């Protein structure tokens, strides 16, 4: 099974900050990685697919990069609506999710 | 409107089974795979398996092999996930989702509580 290690688990930041979340795969997954945002009581929302492709309707302040085993989600300027939990997901072989990063208000 | 609508919350006793439905609207169920994921309160997301609604073929996570069954009724555009021999640690929100890659369409979730 492919393991996904996401860090940090919690991140305290202010509006306007640049935020970076990292995900590491236990083996190469090429670019078969997605990033989701989840708010309490809601289903996940797709932000990025195929490691760096921005989902339609998602603000351009979100970006993804990486391939192989190292991936990054960046929010260029954190907005009030962005305080949420973020998950990475590999879909190279079945699915595995990272443990999640909760982005909190500093 | 394209959406997946899941059945309502369930409370079950240990050892019982639960069957959650996922009705597709705005598109034909057989056009895309259906994946099931669960999430315990405050925890991460766990892949349970997927089904090709056209063929009925399924692939289950090893953890759930022997306990989970995914089926569909194409006449009513609905997919089902049944989990048996429930334990307290099966208490979670269960989601259906459309597709096997980056998923754009999710159901609203069904809370399953297992308690004696």
């Amino acid at each position: 099974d492919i393991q996904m290690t996401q860090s940090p688990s919690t991140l305290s930041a202010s509006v306007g900050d640049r935020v970076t979340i990292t995900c590491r795969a236990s083996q190469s997954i090429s670019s078969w990685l997605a990033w989701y945002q989840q708010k309490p009581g809601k289903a996940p929302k797709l932000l990025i697919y195929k490691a760096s492709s921005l989902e339609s309707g998602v603000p351009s302040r979100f970006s993804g990069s990486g391939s192989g085993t190292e991936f990054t989600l960046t929010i260029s300027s954190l907005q009030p609506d962005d305080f949420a939990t973020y998950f990475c997901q590999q879909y190279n072989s079945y699915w595995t999710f990272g443990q999640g990063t909760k982005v909190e208000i500093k | 409107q394209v959406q997946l609508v899941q059945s309502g919350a369930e409370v079950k006793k240990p050892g019982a089974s639960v069957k959650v439905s996922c009705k597709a609207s705005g598109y034909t169920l057989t056009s895309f795979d259906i994946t099931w994921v669960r999430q315990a309160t405050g925890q991460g997301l766990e892949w349970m398996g997927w089904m090709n609604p056209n063929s009925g073929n399924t692939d289950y996570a090893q953890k759930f092999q022997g306990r989970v069954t995914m089926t569909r009724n194409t006449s009513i555009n609905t997919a089902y996930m049944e989990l048996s021999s429930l334990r307290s640690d099966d208490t979670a929100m269960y989601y259906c989702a459309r597709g096997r890659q980056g998923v754009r369409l999710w159901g609203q979730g069904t809370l399953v509580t297992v308690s004696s």
Side-chain angles (χ1 to χ4, degrees):
Chain A
D1 289 6
I2 299 174
Q3 308 303 317
M4 303 300 294
T5 304
Q6 187 175 340
S7 62
S9 55
T10 307
L11 190 160
S12 296
S14 302
V15 172
D17 283 354
R18 182 181 182 88
V19 165
T20 299
I21 299 168
T22 298
C23 211
R24 179 178 294 118
S26 59
Q27 64 189 74
S28 177
I29 57 170
S30 185
S31 295
W32 303 117
L33 184 106
W35 289 97
Y36 296 88
Q37 178 193 71
Q38 189 179 33
K39 295 186 177 180
K42 298 293 187 181
K45 174 187 174 183
L46 180 66
L47 301 174
I48 302 285
Y49 62 96
K50 213 171 177 184
S52 60
S53 296
L54 187 68
E55 170 65 1
S56 176
V58 173
S60 59
R61 63 181 179 271
F62 291 92
S63 64
S65 65
S67 66
T69 61
E70 297 280 339
F71 301 88
T72 300
L73 173 70
T74 300
I75 309 172
S76 61
S77 178
L78 199 64
Q79 298 302 301
D81 190 49
D82 301 339
F83 292 98
T85 300
Y86 294 85
F87 293 96
C88 62
Q89 173 215 12
Q90 69 81 19
Y91 50 94
N92 178 73
S93 174
Y94 301 119
W95 284 9
T96 318
F97 293 88
Q99 302 95 317
T101 296
K102 185 175 183 180
V103 178
E104 298 180 329
I105 300 173
K106 190 172 184 179
Chain B
Q1 183 182 0
V2 176
Q3 57 183 348
L4 294 171
V5 179
Q6 297 183 224
S7 48
E10 302 263 12
V11 179
K12 296 292 183 180
K13 293 195 182 303
S17 297
V18 67
K19 191 170 186 177
V20 178
S21 68
C22 172
K23 183 174 177 61
S25 61
Y27 80 98
T28 302
L29 182 72
T30 53
S31 298
F32 298 88
D33 292 333
I34 290 289
T35 299
W36 290 87
V37 169
R38 75 177 187 180
Q39 185 175 36
T41 302
Q43 302 301 309
L45 296 152
E46 182 173 34
W47 177 76
M48 299 182 70
W50 46 45
M51 177 185 64
N52 179 323
N54 191 41
S55 64
N57 289 342
T58 56
D59 208 347
Y60 302 141
Q62 191 165 8
K63 175 177 179 176
F64 299 102
Q65 291 274 358
R67 281 211 303 146
V68 70
T69 306
M70 297 176 188
T71 58
R72 85 290 192 215
N73 183 334
T74 56
S75 67
I76 57 172
N77 233 32
T78 300
Y80 302 92
M81 186 284 299
E82 184 170 21
L83 189 63
S84 63
S85 303
L86 289 169
R87 307 183 288 256
S88 58
D89 61 358
D90 290 320
T91 294
M93 186 72 80
Y94 289 76
Y95 292 102
C96 61
R98 188 179 77 172
R100 292 196 187 194
Q101 299 193 343
V103 171
R104 298 171 174 85
L105 186 65
W106 295 75
Q108 83 277 19
T110 297
L111 180 61
V112 175
T113 303
V114 183
S115 174
S116 55

